[in-house]
Amino acid sequence: MREGDLADPAFRATALDGVRSLFLVSRIGSDAGVLGAARQAGVEHVVLVSSITVRTHPHLGSARENAAVERLTGTAARPFHHWVFEHLAAFR
């Protein structure tokens, strides 16, 4: 486990070195930046916490943003070997 600011590109470049799995909550920071750094570092497995609205209310702006992040995991030139989307309805 590493602690730091994933919004900082310099930190991202070193923080993900040697990491095999990433647990990422979407839309909190630079998802594209984090996923890009994860690809470069050779991360194999991504668990992306997204939202059920991607499926139930795709017309909402936040659902479109979450769907765009989901697409980043598998449609890039170098997709991750494994990814899981957690479509949460609510936190308690």
Side-chain angles (χ1 to χ4, degrees):
M1 183 175 294
R2 300 200 175 111
E3 185 176 337
D5 185 358
L6 288 173
D8 177 5
F11 176 76
R12 283 194 307 251
T14 59
L16 297 170
D17 190 37
V19 171
R20 293 185 59 211
S21 298
L22 174 66
F23 186 91
L24 181 64
V25 179
S26 71
R27 298 181 54 233
I28 291 194
S30 173
D31 297 315
V34 172
L35 291 171
R39 271 192 190 85
Q40 286 189 337
V43 172
E44 299 173 4
H45 185 158
V46 175
V47 175
L48 177 67
V49 178
S50 187
S51 171
I52 193 70
T53 61
V54 169
R55 304 282 182 252
T56 61
H57 296 84
H59 60 282
L60 296 177
S62 59
R64 286 193 299 268
E65 291 170 13
N66 280 317
V69 175
E70 289 181 15
R71 284 191 297 276
L72 289 174
T73 63
T75 60
R78 218 171 98 204
F80 295 101
H81 297 294
H82 308 282
W83 60 90
V84 175
F85 302 134
E86 294 292 335
H87 289 137
L88 303 178
F91 288 97
R92 291 183 188 234

